[in-house]
mmCIF file of all heavy atoms in Angstrom:
data_model
loop_
_atom_site.group_PDB
_atom_site.id
_atom_site.type_symbol
_atom_site.label_atom_id
_atom_site.label_comp_id
_atom_site.label_asym_id
_atom_site.label_seq_id
_atom_site.Cartn_x
_atom_site.Cartn_y
_atom_site.Cartn_z
ATOM 1 N N SER B 1 0.793 -1.229 0.000
ATOM 2 C CA SER B 1 0.000 0.000 0.000
ATOM 3 C C SER B 1 0.819 1.269 0.000
ATOM 4 O O SER B 1 0.316 2.322 -0.334
ATOM 5 C CB SER B 1 -0.922 0.018 1.222
ATOM 6 O OG SER B 1 -0.159 0.011 2.402
ATOM 7 N N ASN B 2 2.110 1.189 0.348
ATOM 8 C CA ASN B 2 2.887 2.425 0.463
ATOM 9 C C ASN B 2 4.193 2.405 -0.302
ATOM 10 O O ASN B 2 4.567 3.394 -0.915
ATOM 11 C CB ASN B 2 3.190 2.713 1.937
ATOM 12 C CG ASN B 2 1.911 2.972 2.701
ATOM 13 O OD1 ASN B 2 1.173 3.872 2.394
ATOM 14 N ND2 ASN B 2 1.649 2.147 3.695
ATOM 15 N N ALA B 3 4.919 1.286 -0.267
ATOM 16 C CA ALA B 3 6.262 1.284 -0.830
ATOM 17 C C ALA B 3 6.250 1.510 -2.328
ATOM 18 O O ALA B 3 7.212 1.969 -2.892
ATOM 19 C CB ALA B 3 6.959 -0.046 -0.525
ATOM 20 N N GLN B 4 5.138 1.185 -2.999
ATOM 21 C CA GLN B 4 5.079 1.353 -4.432
ATOM 22 C C GLN B 4 4.592 2.739 -4.837
ATOM 23 O O GLN B 4 4.343 2.992 -5.990
ATOM 24 C CB GLN B 4 4.155 0.284 -5.024
ATOM 25 C CG GLN B 4 4.697 -1.129 -4.865
ATOM 26 C CD GLN B 4 6.007 -1.312 -5.580
ATOM 27 O OE1 GLN B 4 6.178 -0.890 -6.710
ATOM 28 N NE2 GLN B 4 6.960 -1.944 -4.938
ATOM 29 N N CYS B 5 4.385 3.630 -3.866
ATOM 30 C CA CYS B 5 3.893 4.970 -4.185
ATOM 31 C C CYS B 5 4.916 6.012 -3.782
ATOM 32 O O CYS B 5 5.672 5.816 -2.845
ATOM 33 C CB CYS B 5 2.581 5.256 -3.453
ATOM 34 S SG CYS B 5 1.220 4.202 -4.007
ATOM 35 N N GLU B 6 4.910 7.108 -4.477
ATOM 36 C CA GLU B 6 5.771 8.212 -4.092
ATOM 37 C C GLU B 6 5.010 9.503 -4.344
ATOM 38 O O GLU B 6 4.137 9.582 -5.199
ATOM 39 C CB GLU B 6 7.081 8.189 -4.868
ATOM 40 C CG GLU B 6 6.913 8.181 -6.371
ATOM 41 C CD GLU B 6 8.241 8.005 -7.064
ATOM 42 O OE1 GLU B 6 9.099 7.288 -6.539
ATOM 43 O OE2 GLU B 6 8.408 8.594 -8.137
ATOM 44 N N THR B 7 5.323 10.523 -3.575
ATOM 45 C CA THR B 7 4.624 11.792 -3.683
ATOM 46 C C THR B 7 5.414 12.739 -4.568
ATOM 47 O O THR B 7 6.593 12.956 -4.347
ATOM 48 C CB THR B 7 4.458 12.409 -2.287
ATOM 49 O OG1 THR B 7 3.798 11.466 -1.459
ATOM 50 C CG2 THR B 7 3.644 13.681 -2.363
ATOM 51 N N ASN B 8 4.736 13.296 -5.569
ATOM 52 C CA ASN B 8 5.429 14.259 -6.414
ATOM 53 C C ASN B 8 5.288 15.661 -5.831
ATOM 54 O O ASN B 8 4.728 15.845 -4.761
ATOM 55 C CB ASN B 8 4.910 14.178 -7.865
ATOM 56 C CG ASN B 8 3.413 14.429 -7.932
ATOM 57 O OD1 ASN B 8 2.857 15.109 -7.080
ATOM 58 N ND2 ASN B 8 2.762 13.884 -8.951
ATOM 59 N N ILE B 9 5.794 16.679 -6.533
ATOM 60 C CA ILE B 9 5.866 18.022 -5.976
ATOM 61 C C ILE B 9 4.483 18.580 -5.677
ATOM 62 O O ILE B 9 4.277 19.289 -4.706
ATOM 63 C CB ILE B 9 6.615 18.952 -6.955
ATOM 64 C CG1 ILE B 9 8.062 18.481 -7.095
ATOM 65 C CG2 ILE B 9 6.573 20.401 -6.502
ATOM 66 C CD1 ILE B 9 8.853 19.256 -8.098
ATOM 67 N N THR B 10 3.486 18.240 -6.496
ATOM 68 C CA THR B 10 2.151 18.791 -6.291
ATOM 69 C C THR B 10 1.347 18.001 -5.284
ATOM 70 O O THR B 10 0.210 18.335 -5.006
ATOM 71 C CB THR B 10 1.384 18.809 -7.626
ATOM 72 O OG1 THR B 10 1.260 17.466 -8.104
ATOM 73 C CG2 THR B 10 2.105 19.650 -8.652
ATOM 74 N N GLY B 11 1.925 16.940 -4.726
ATOM 75 C CA GLY B 11 1.222 16.167 -3.717
ATOM 76 C C GLY B 11 0.328 15.091 -4.305
ATOM 77 O O GLY B 11 -0.384 14.414 -3.586
ATOM 78 N N GLN B 12 0.329 14.919 -5.634
ATOM 79 C CA GLN B 12 -0.488 13.885 -6.233
ATOM 80 C C GLN B 12 0.205 12.550 -6.085
ATOM 81 O O GLN B 12 1.419 12.455 -6.093
ATOM 82 C CB GLN B 12 -0.719 14.181 -7.718
ATOM 83 C CG GLN B 12 -1.508 15.480 -7.950
ATOM 84 C CD GLN B 12 -1.593 15.800 -9.420
ATOM 85 O OE1 GLN B 12 -0.736 15.393 -10.196
ATOM 86 N NE2 GLN B 12 -2.623 16.532 -9.803
ATOM 87 N N ILE B 13 -0.586 11.508 -5.961
ATOM 88 C CA ILE B 13 -0.027 10.170 -5.791
ATOM 89 C C ILE B 13 -0.049 9.451 -7.114
ATOM 90 O O ILE B 13 -1.066 9.391 -7.799
ATOM 91 C CB ILE B 13 -0.839 9.369 -4.759
ATOM 92 C CG1 ILE B 13 -0.852 10.100 -3.428
ATOM 93 C CG2 ILE B 13 -0.280 7.976 -4.575
ATOM 94 C CD1 ILE B 13 0.508 10.275 -2.810
ATOM 95 N N THR B 14 1.105 8.886 -7.484
ATOM 96 C CA THR B 14 1.207 8.060 -8.676
ATOM 97 C C THR B 14 1.758 6.717 -8.282
ATOM 98 O O THR B 14 2.334 6.562 -7.218
ATOM 99 C CB THR B 14 2.141 8.711 -9.723
ATOM 100 O OG1 THR B 14 3.437 8.866 -9.138
ATOM 101 C CG2 THR B 14 1.616 10.080 -10.139
ATOM 102 N N ASN B 15 1.599 5.725 -9.135
ATOM 103 C CA ASN B 15 2.143 4.411 -8.793
ATOM 104 C C ASN B 15 3.602 4.344 -9.170
ATOM 105 O O ASN B 15 4.173 5.294 -9.705
ATOM 106 C CB ASN B 15 1.334 3.288 -9.463
ATOM 107 C CG ASN B 15 1.346 3.381 -10.990
ATOM 108 O OD1 ASN B 15 2.266 3.928 -11.571
ATOM 109 N ND2 ASN B 15 0.310 2.854 -11.618
ATOM 110 N N ALA B 16 4.250 3.189 -8.883
ATOM 111 C CA ALA B 16 5.700 3.091 -9.035
ATOM 112 C C ALA B 16 6.135 3.281 -10.475
ATOM 113 O O ALA B 16 7.235 3.719 -10.737
ATOM 114 C CB ALA B 16 6.184 1.741 -8.514
ATOM 115 N N ASN B 17 5.282 2.896 -11.441
ATOM 116 C CA ASN B 17 5.646 3.012 -12.830
ATOM 117 C C ASN B 17 5.118 4.303 -13.449
ATOM 118 O O ASN B 17 5.115 4.468 -14.654
ATOM 119 C CB ASN B 17 5.094 1.808 -13.603
ATOM 120 C CG ASN B 17 5.705 0.521 -13.121
ATOM 121 O OD1 ASN B 17 6.895 0.470 -12.854
ATOM 122 N ND2 ASN B 17 4.897 -0.529 -12.982
ATOM 123 N N ASN B 18 4.624 5.256 -12.587
ATOM 124 C CA ASN B 18 4.126 6.540 -13.041
ATOM 125 C C ASN B 18 2.999 6.411 -14.063
ATOM 126 O O ASN B 18 2.906 7.171 -15.014
ATOM 127 C CB ASN B 18 5.266 7.378 -13.639
ATOM 128 C CG ASN B 18 6.277 7.761 -12.594
ATOM 129 O OD1 ASN B 18 5.928 8.079 -11.464
ATOM 130 N ND2 ASN B 18 7.553 7.718 -12.961
ATOM 131 N N LYS B 19 2.140 5.430 -13.899
ATOM 132 C CA LYS B 19 0.997 5.249 -14.781
ATOM 133 C C LYS B 19 -0.165 6.062 -14.235
ATOM 134 O O LYS B 19 -0.490 5.992 -13.064
ATOM 135 C CB LYS B 19 0.611 3.773 -14.890
ATOM 136 C CG LYS B 19 1.657 2.891 -15.549
ATOM 137 C CD LYS B 19 1.104 1.492 -15.722
ATOM 138 C CE LYS B 19 2.133 0.573 -16.387
ATOM 139 N NZ LYS B 19 3.251 0.302 -15.552
ATOM 140 N N SER B 20 -0.826 6.802 -15.109
ATOM 141 C CA SER B 20 -2.009 7.539 -14.708
ATOM 142 C C SER B 20 -3.201 6.601 -14.677
ATOM 143 O O SER B 20 -3.124 5.430 -15.082
ATOM 144 C CB SER B 20 -2.259 8.678 -15.699
ATOM 145 O OG SER B 20 -2.571 8.141 -16.992
ATOM 146 N N LEU B 21 -4.334 7.133 -14.219
ATOM 147 C CA LEU B 21 -5.550 6.325 -14.219
ATOM 148 C C LEU B 21 -5.964 5.959 -15.636
ATOM 149 O O LEU B 21 -6.462 4.861 -15.883
ATOM 150 C CB LEU B 21 -6.665 7.101 -13.510
ATOM 151 C CG LEU B 21 -6.495 7.295 -11.999
ATOM 152 C CD1 LEU B 21 -7.638 8.122 -11.447
ATOM 153 C CD2 LEU B 21 -6.428 5.945 -11.293
ATOM 154 N N TRP B 22 -5.747 6.890 -16.568
ATOM 155 C CA TRP B 22 -6.074 6.579 -17.963
ATOM 156 C C TRP B 22 -5.175 5.467 -18.497
ATOM 157 O O TRP B 22 -5.640 4.587 -19.246
ATOM 158 C CB TRP B 22 -5.933 7.835 -18.836
ATOM 159 C CG TRP B 22 -7.138 8.722 -18.789
ATOM 160 C CD1 TRP B 22 -7.232 9.956 -18.228
ATOM 161 C CD2 TRP B 22 -8.445 8.417 -19.294
ATOM 162 N NE1 TRP B 22 -8.505 10.460 -18.350
ATOM 163 C CE2 TRP B 22 -9.275 9.537 -19.005
ATOM 164 C CE3 TRP B 22 -8.984 7.336 -19.961
ATOM 165 C CZ2 TRP B 22 -10.623 9.578 -19.370
ATOM 166 C CZ3 TRP B 22 -10.336 7.382 -20.326
ATOM 167 C CH2 TRP B 22 -11.141 8.494 -20.025
ATOM 168 N N GLY B 23 -3.901 5.526 -18.123
ATOM 169 C CA GLY B 23 -2.998 4.449 -18.553
ATOM 170 C C GLY B 23 -3.418 3.112 -18.003
ATOM 171 O O GLY B 23 -3.392 2.084 -18.705
ATOM 172 N N THR B 24 -3.838 3.089 -16.736
ATOM 173 C CA THR B 24 -4.319 1.852 -16.124
ATOM 174 C C THR B 24 -5.586 1.370 -16.819
ATOM 175 O O THR B 24 -5.774 0.168 -17.065
ATOM 176 C CB THR B 24 -4.589 2.072 -14.627
ATOM 177 O OG1 THR B 24 -3.403 2.564 -14.002
ATOM 178 C CG2 THR B 24 -5.010 0.773 -13.955
ATOM 179 N N PHE B 25 -6.487 2.318 -17.163
ATOM 180 C CA PHE B 25 -7.722 1.952 -17.858
ATOM 181 C C PHE B 25 -7.415 1.328 -19.218
ATOM 182 O O PHE B 25 -8.012 0.307 -19.605
ATOM 183 C CB PHE B 25 -8.603 3.191 -18.032
ATOM 184 C CG PHE B 25 -9.805 2.968 -18.913
ATOM 185 C CD1 PHE B 25 -10.927 2.319 -18.419
ATOM 186 C CD2 PHE B 25 -9.803 3.380 -20.238
ATOM 187 C CE1 PHE B 25 -12.033 2.103 -19.235
ATOM 188 C CE2 PHE B 25 -10.891 3.161 -21.056
ATOM 189 C CZ PHE B 25 -12.019 2.519 -20.550
ATOM 190 N N ILE B 26 -6.498 1.944 -19.969
ATOM 191 C CA ILE B 26 -6.154 1.423 -21.299
ATOM 192 C C ILE B 26 -5.554 0.026 -21.197
ATOM 193 O O ILE B 26 -5.887 -0.883 -21.974
ATOM 194 C CB ILE B 26 -5.192 2.393 -22.016
ATOM 195 C CG1 ILE B 26 -5.921 3.709 -22.328
ATOM 196 C CG2 ILE B 26 -4.644 1.773 -23.293
ATOM 197 C CD1 ILE B 26 -5.015 4.801 -22.861
ATOM 198 N N LEU B 27 -4.660 -0.165 -20.211
ATOM 199 C CA LEU B 27 -4.072 -1.494 -20.036
ATOM 200 C C LEU B 27 -5.134 -2.521 -19.661
ATOM 201 O O LEU B 27 -5.119 -3.658 -20.133
ATOM 202 C CB LEU B 27 -2.991 -1.441 -18.946
ATOM 203 C CG LEU B 27 -1.699 -0.717 -19.317
ATOM 204 C CD1 LEU B 27 -0.758 -0.682 -18.127
ATOM 205 C CD2 LEU B 27 -1.015 -1.410 -20.491
ATOM 206 N N GLY B 28 -6.087 -2.112 -18.808
ATOM 207 C CA GLY B 28 -7.170 -3.029 -18.449
ATOM 208 C C GLY B 28 -8.042 -3.357 -19.639
ATOM 209 O O GLY B 28 -8.492 -4.502 -19.803
ATOM 210 N N PHE B 29 -8.296 -2.347 -20.502
ATOM 211 C CA PHE B 29 -9.109 -2.577 -21.701
ATOM 212 C C PHE B 29 -8.409 -3.556 -22.650
ATOM 213 O O PHE B 29 -9.035 -4.473 -23.198
ATOM 214 C CB PHE B 29 -9.367 -1.239 -22.395
ATOM 215 C CG PHE B 29 -10.238 -1.346 -23.619
ATOM 216 C CD1 PHE B 29 -11.611 -1.494 -23.496
ATOM 217 C CD2 PHE B 29 -9.675 -1.304 -24.884
ATOM 218 C CE1 PHE B 29 -12.415 -1.601 -24.623
ATOM 219 C CE2 PHE B 29 -10.471 -1.412 -26.016
ATOM 220 C CZ PHE B 29 -11.850 -1.562 -25.888
ATOM 221 N N ILE B 30 -7.097 -3.357 -22.838
ATOM 222 C CA ILE B 30 -6.338 -4.273 -23.704
ATOM 223 C C ILE B 30 -6.342 -5.687 -23.118
ATOM 224 O O ILE B 30 -6.497 -6.681 -23.836
ATOM 225 C CB ILE B 30 -4.894 -3.750 -23.881
ATOM 226 C CG1 ILE B 30 -4.905 -2.421 -24.643
ATOM 227 C CG2 ILE B 30 -4.033 -4.776 -24.610
ATOM 228 C CD1 ILE B 30 -3.539 -1.754 -24.728
ATOM 229 N N GLY B 31 -6.200 -5.766 -21.776
ATOM 230 C CA GLY B 31 -6.250 -7.077 -21.134
ATOM 231 C C GLY B 31 -7.593 -7.746 -21.339
ATOM 232 O O GLY B 31 -7.678 -8.970 -21.523
ATOM 233 N N GLY B 32 -8.681 -6.951 -21.324
ATOM 234 C CA GLY B 32 -10.004 -7.528 -21.574
ATOM 235 C C GLY B 32 -10.138 -8.074 -22.982
ATOM 236 O O GLY B 32 -10.745 -9.131 -23.203
ATOM 237 N N LEU B 33 -9.580 -7.343 -23.974
ATOM 238 C CA LEU B 33 -9.613 -7.843 -25.354
ATOM 239 C C LEU B 33 -8.838 -9.144 -25.489
ATOM 240 O O LEU B 33 -9.274 -10.080 -26.187
ATOM 241 C CB LEU B 33 -9.042 -6.788 -26.302
ATOM 242 C CG LEU B 33 -9.855 -5.485 -26.446
ATOM 243 C CD1 LEU B 33 -9.131 -4.526 -27.383
ATOM 244 C CD2 LEU B 33 -11.253 -5.780 -26.953
ATOM 245 N N ILE B 34 -7.685 -9.214 -24.816
ATOM 246 C CA ILE B 34 -6.909 -10.459 -24.852
ATOM 247 C C ILE B 34 -7.694 -11.587 -24.181
ATOM 248 O O ILE B 34 -7.672 -12.736 -24.621
ATOM 249 C CB ILE B 34 -5.547 -10.245 -24.162
ATOM 250 C CG1 ILE B 34 -4.716 -9.223 -24.935
ATOM 251 C CG2 ILE B 34 -4.789 -11.558 -24.037
ATOM 252 C CD1 ILE B 34 -3.403 -8.846 -24.264
#
């Protein structure tokens, strides 16, 4: 829950690979097609 997150300058939380929610959505959509 914590080690994979880091806080950027604006205080927004991103995951370890810096994927946005849209990036996660696109990957999930591609996974659904597969």
Side-chain angles (χ1 to χ4, degrees):
S1 62
N2 296 301
Q4 294 298 315
C5 294
E6 55 186 35
T7 304
N8 58 27
I9 296 176
T10 61
Q12 297 174 334
I13 302 298
T14 60
N15 61 26
N17 297 319
N18 294 321
K19 295 186 180 68
S20 65
L21 291 178
W22 278 111
T24 304
F25 171 78
I26 293 172
L27 288 177
F29 182 77
I30 295 174
L33 294 178
I34 296 175

